Amino acid sequence: VQLQASGGGLVQAGDSLRLSCAASVRTFNRYGMAWFRQAPGKEREFVAVITGSGSITYYADSVKGRFTISRDNAKNTVFLQMNSLKPEDTAVYYCAATRDRTSRFENQYDYWGQGTLVTVSS
């Protein structure tokens, strides 16, 4: 499984951004997909996760109500819509995949994208 994340960039506080992660796998709907992020000088942290069917999502408290994770299984792509961005959202964002399960713990994920940088200026 290969994951290709895109959509990062430099925005101002309060702006929106949508990240995408394209997966090269035949059975994409069997994979739980998640977004993690790593801010400068900090450990990587969980952001959001979505089940293979897309019916269940879960968010970190820090992004709840501002970020929305979704997926298009016909296009093997997962999205992270980020609204009301804050400077503390600045980080490299990684998408991750795990087969036949869903988790908010990064050690449960077998496949990782290369990361896309999001910078939010104040």
Side-chain angles (χ1 to χ4, degrees), residues 21 28-29 50 52 54 70-79:
C21 176
F28 182 63
N29 62 358
I50 188 167
S70 62
R71 64 192 296 158
D72 184 339
N73 284 346
K75 296 182 178 180
N76 282 16
T77 303
V78 64
F79 305 98

Side-chain angles (χ1 to χ4, degrees), residues 58-76:
Y58 183 76
Y59 299 91
D61 288 343
S62 59
V63 306
K64 199 173 297 182
R66 299 188 299 121
F67 290 11
T68 302
I69 188 171
S70 62
R71 64 192 296 158
D72 184 339
N73 284 346
K75 296 182 178 180
N76 282 16

Side-chain angles (χ1 to χ4, degrees), residues 28-40:
F28 182 63
N29 62 358
R30 294 191 64 173
Y31 287 79
M33 299 295 296
W35 288 95
F36 293 82
R37 67 185 181 185
Q38 186 168 22

Side-chain angles (χ1 to χ4, degrees), residues 1-5 21-25 28 33 76 95 97 111-113:
V1 178
Q2 292 187 330
L3 303 176
Q4 180 70 41
C21 176
S24 62
V25 62
F28 182 63
M33 299 295 296
N76 282 16
C95 58
Y111 308 100
W112 292 82

